Amino acid sequence: MTVDAGRRRLVLSAYVLVATVGAIITVLLPPTLRPFGYLLVGASSLVPSWVGLRPVPGRDRVAPVLVFGGLLVINVGSLFGAVQIDFTASRSQASLLFIMGGALGLLLAALRLVWMRGRGDIGGVLDAAVIGIGLVGLLWTLVLHRALVATGLPAGQQAATLFMLLCLTGSLGALIRVELISERPVVALRAFIVILVLSLIANLGQTLAHTTTVLVRPAWSDAVYLIAYAVTGAAVADPSIDAALRSGPPVRDRLTTARLIFLGAAIGITPIAAAVEQLTGQTVDMVLLAIETSVVLPLVMVRIGALSSQRERAERAFAHQAAHDALTGLPNRSQLLDRLETTLADPAATPTVLFCDLDGFKSVNDRLGHQAGDSLLQQVSARLLACIRPTDTVARYGGDEFVILCPDGADGLPDRIERALDEPFLVAGEAATVGVSVGVVRATPGMDADTVLRHADDAMYAAKSARREPAPLC
């Protein structure tokens, strides 16, 4: 971290400390003054979040914009509420709608962070989110729902509270997973984890406060919200936000037995708890079952889709590896035999096969080393590919041997190959030259693949012997 970045983090830490003290002082003010203290401390979060909007080449700007916009909307709602209390001594639902809208923007910013940072571990992120949702579903069934029923809170507000808690815990689980797989600590990610924890604490406290309306809530929860806003503003201004908005390290999606047990428990624990309530004659919260299912089901479907895509990619990779040479990427001997046999299955087919063996490759390999030899083979493969037509096949037969299958004849191809390989190759910083001996065989009806390749191999050795013979004296 640079000196300027260190200074910025120091200033941001000092800001969060001052805002925390201000939040505590706010809740100690008289009720008539408290909204203005809330507004003052909350509005201070706009300053660092505005700094977080600075343009940085290559950095995602959606999350910082969502944070600034969310905090701005929250503060508009706070201002509206302060004015209402000052002039009417009451507060309407309008200011609450602003604050809820702003909170939704902050939640979307956290989800954006999860998406940007956790793209290499979709499976793990989804699993963590589902586990978090399952835990809060159990907490709701055992504690929260009964408390809300006792206070007489309307069903609609119960559903809204439940939905917010599910979103918070799902996002919290996903962010924790993203932070755990990071190669090194990312302060901005940890800050957003703190923000979600604070929001969860404030929401749970408000839920358990036995109030009949969300407009009336414990004073301490206001302080917790204010601290969360301050940390949010500082998080997007922290130098580590650049790392938080870049893709994290790819993680192999391994659905282990332990993870399956956790997932199964997270998905099934709420319905099981509801069934126990039903059997014991208690009231079953059907709203929980409906909302939790509507939140978890899409996550599970995406999880299944990710596993299916991963399996398809693995199958394609295995199939490619089984049929292609690892060094050059060309079809290997097995794939060549399959294509040749398929071509020869047509009684009227008379394909041409060229068996190519490099001359002088061993001396280059011995002199410059195996890595240089591998590089030379890769360059030869590229030049051979440039010589053929789309219907032809170049395969690495083994070592420094290549075979070309031409279903429609090979007019002029041997000459093109020799001219292509006449040009020197740059390997290990040196110019290397190799020749090529080409054996050409045109298959006749009744030949099998082994016979054609054997004849082509014999023709190649005949061509190699002819290249070695000295020119006759005139």
Side-chain angles (χ1 to χ4, degrees):
M1 187 168 61
T2 64
V3 175
D4 289 342
R7 289 176 179 171
R8 186 194 304 170
R9 180 166 295 171
L10 183 62
V11 170
L12 291 173
S13 300
Y15 159 70
V16 172
L17 179 61
V18 172
T20 300
V21 173
I24 296 172
I25 293 175
T26 295
V27 300
L28 300 177
L29 294 174
T32 54
L33 297 178
R34 192 177 300 156
F36 296 97
Y38 190 95
L39 174 62
L40 180 63
V41 177
S44 69
S45 64
L46 293 174
V47 177
S49 64
W50 175 261
V51 174
L53 289 176
R54 70 193 188 285
V56 176
R59 191 185 78 181
D60 177 77
R61 295 196 65 195
V62 176
V65 169
L66 285 172
V67 167
F68 180 78
L71 291 174
L72 180 62
V73 172
I74 287 173
N75 281 282
V76 169
S78 299
L79 176 61
F80 189 31
V83 171
Q84 283 184 317
I85 291 176
D86 188 48
F87 287 97
T88 66
S90 64
R91 187 178 182 183
S92 70
Q93 295 279 356
S95 61
L96 178 65
L97 291 177
F98 274 97
I99 294 175
M100 290 182 64
L104 179 60
L106 300 184
L107 182 61
L108 290 176
L111 292 175
R112 180 68 179 181
L113 234 65
V114 169
W115 168 247
M116 296 298 295
R117 186 70 180 171
R119 284 174 292 182
D121 183 36
I122 295 298
V125 168
L126 290 174
D127 292 347
V130 170
I131 291 172
I133 290 171
L135 290 176
V136 81
L138 180 63
L139 179 64
W140 180 273
T141 301
L142 298 179
V143 179
L144 301 179
H145 181 238
R146 296 175 185 177
L148 293 179
V149 170
T151 62
L153 190 69
Q157 292 186 14
Q158 289 185 37
T161 301
L162 172 60
F163 183 76
M164 178 60 72
L165 291 175
L166 292 176
C167 291
L168 284 173
T169 52
S171 302
L172 178 60
L175 264 179
I176 291 175
R177 171 66 183 186
V178 169
E179 169 58 21
L180 288 177
I181 64 172
S182 296
E183 296 172 342
R184 57 176 58 91
V186 181
V187 173
L189 285 179
R190 294 187 174 187
F192 268 89
I193 291 174
V194 171
I195 293 161
L196 290 178
V197 169
L198 291 175
S199 300
L200 189 60
I201 291 172
N203 274 274
L204 289 174
Q206 184 175 322
T207 302
L208 294 173
H210 295 254
T211 58
T212 57
T213 172
V214 292
L215 289 175
V216 179
R217 61 193 185 195
W220 65 265
S221 67
D222 283 340
V224 174
Y225 280 123
L226 287 175
I227 296 170
Y229 299 154
V231 176
T232 304
V236 293
D238 189 84
S240 65
I241 192 65
D242 295 337
L245 291 172
R246 289 197 297 266
S247 181
V251 177
R252 184 179 177 185
D253 190 5
R254 300 182 63 184
L255 202 57
T256 61
T257 302
R259 187 183 291 186
L260 279 173
I261 292 173
F262 273 110
L263 281 175
I267 295 173
I269 197 167
T270 299
I272 291 173
V276 172
E277 285 187 327
Q278 180 71 32
L279 292 174
T280 56
Q282 302 179 48
T283 302
V284 178
D285 185 11
M286 300 305 297
V287 174
L288 167 64
L289 294 177
I291 293 180
E292 187 176 41
T293 300
S294 66
V295 173
V296 171
L297 185 59
L299 297 179
V300 173
M301 295 302 295
V302 174
R303 181 73 173 95
I304 294 173
L307 279 175
S308 177
S309 298
Q310 182 187 31
R311 180 176 178 178
E312 290 178 1
R313 289 194 300 270
E315 289 176 347
R316 287 196 299 268
F318 287 141
H320 187 273
Q321 291 173 5
H324 291 77
D325 174 58
L327 176 64
T328 63
L330 296 176
N332 57 19
R333 181 184 302 193
S334 176
Q335 179 73 352
L336 171 70
L337 287 171
D338 287 343
R339 293 187 184 183
L340 182 54
E341 287 173 355
T342 300
T343 303
L344 293 173
D346 182 359
T350 57
T352 300
V353 172
L354 285 71
F355 204 113
C356 306
D357 182 79
L358 301 182
D359 299 325
F361 171 77
K362 185 177 183 304
S363 63
V364 175
N365 194 61
D366 292 344
R367 181 168 58 89
L368 299 179
H370 293 296
Q371 286 188 336
D374 289 346
S375 175
L376 178 57
L377 290 174
Q378 291 171 338
Q379 295 182 54
V380 167
S381 301
R383 293 193 189 183
L384 291 177
L385 285 171
C387 293
I388 66 171
R389 297 164 298 185
T391 55
D392 300 336
T393 297
V394 180
R396 186 183 179 196
Y397 199 70
D400 59 348
E401 296 176 334
F402 298 85
V403 174
I404 302 176
L405 169 62
C406 304
D408 304 317
D411 294 340
L413 182 55
D415 293 335
R416 292 200 300 273
I417 291 173
E418 290 185 1
R419 288 195 300 270
L421 300 189
D422 277 345
E423 294 293 328
F425 297 88
L426 182 63
V427 291
E430 296 187 21
T433 303
V434 293
V436 62
S437 298
V438 182
V440 183
V441 169
R442 188 176 183 86
T444 58
M447 278 187 170
D448 60 17
D450 289 334
T451 302
V452 174
L453 288 172
R454 187 172 63 254
H455 289 337
D457 190 24
D458 293 340
M460 181 273 294
Y461 276 108
K464 188 180 290 288
S465 298
R467 288 170 64 90
R468 289 174 179 169
E469 291 178 0
L473 297 175
C474 299

